[in-house]
Amino acid sequence: MSIRFTTRARGRLSAWPVAIVLACGLVACSSGSGSDGDKPDSSTAASKSSESRPDAQEGETAETLAELKGPNGLLLRITSAERDTGGFVTVNGELKNDGDKNVAIPSGLSGNETEIIKNGRSLGGATLVDSKSKKRYYVLRDTDGRPLTTTGLSTIKPGDQLAVFMQFPAPPVATTEVTFQLPTFASATISISG
């Protein structure tokens, strides 16, 4: 019994230094960010500057690649489509209920592939079409078949919006424009950056 007690005590004692290091690291991180008292937080500064602009179109043209209208007042605003070095394109945006009633997210947005549908409501039906290369790119999946996109969508209240993303294989580097398609929504041409 004393051996078990000693082993447990040693395990507990060895966890303390790790906990102390983590706590000190968190304190250092939070105090480090506060040490730049002269510099405002970039996200706060960005939101303040966009709120103070009287001309909304100027801010939206820089931040919106496309707006797609969907059923029942749903609106998808695509804010970026970025190519990364790993060979992927990540499309980010906001799904908004522009209507005056609660809207259930249509199951059709998940597409019709059984593997994606079994993982719940998502934006797994989204595709990028490269008309130059005559190819269509589907949302990527992990090894368990889950789509690499926003999942768990259910209902959006009037005026509410959700940040969403979808990840695709990247088209060739020469392709800088693709057509974004999502079932039940209008399609739109978007530019890929990066």
Side-chain angles (χ1 to χ4, degrees), residues 3 6 14 16 30 55 63-64 67 91 98 114 122 131 149 155 159-160 164 166 173 175 182:
I3 295 173
T6 306
S14 65
W16 276 105
S30 63
D55 186 10
E63 298 173 0
T64 302
E67 282 190 355
V91 175
D98 223 13
T114 309
S122 69
S131 56
T149 179
T155 303
D160 282 1
V164 295
M166 295 141 277
V173 178
T175 301
L182 182 65

Side-chain angles (χ1 to χ4, degrees), residues 23-92:
C24 289
L26 288 174
V27 169
C29 286
S30 63
S31 66
S33 64
S35 65
D36 292 340
D38 298 343
K39 297 180 184 176
D41 182 16
S42 61
S43 61
T44 307
S47 64
K48 284 181 183 176
S49 65
S50 64
E51 288 174 1
S52 63
R53 280 189 202 152
D55 186 10
Q57 288 181 340
E58 184 181 328
E60 286 182 17
T61 54
E63 298 173 0
T64 302
L65 297 179
E67 282 190 355
L68 292 75
K69 290 187 178 183
N72 304 319
L74 288 177
L75 181 71
L76 176 63
R77 186 169 74 94
I78 298 176
T79 56
S80 69
E82 296 181 9
R83 183 188 309 267
D84 67 20
T85 55
F88 306 113
V89 169
T90 303
V91 175
N92 292 297

Side-chain angles (χ1 to χ4, degrees), residues 84-109:
D84 67 20
T85 55
F88 306 113
V89 169
T90 303
V91 175
N92 292 297
E94 296 172 345
L95 185 61
K96 181 179 181 182
N97 179 354
D98 223 13
D100 56 0
K101 296 179 182 177
N102 287 352
V103 175
I105 302 298
S107 59
L109 299 185

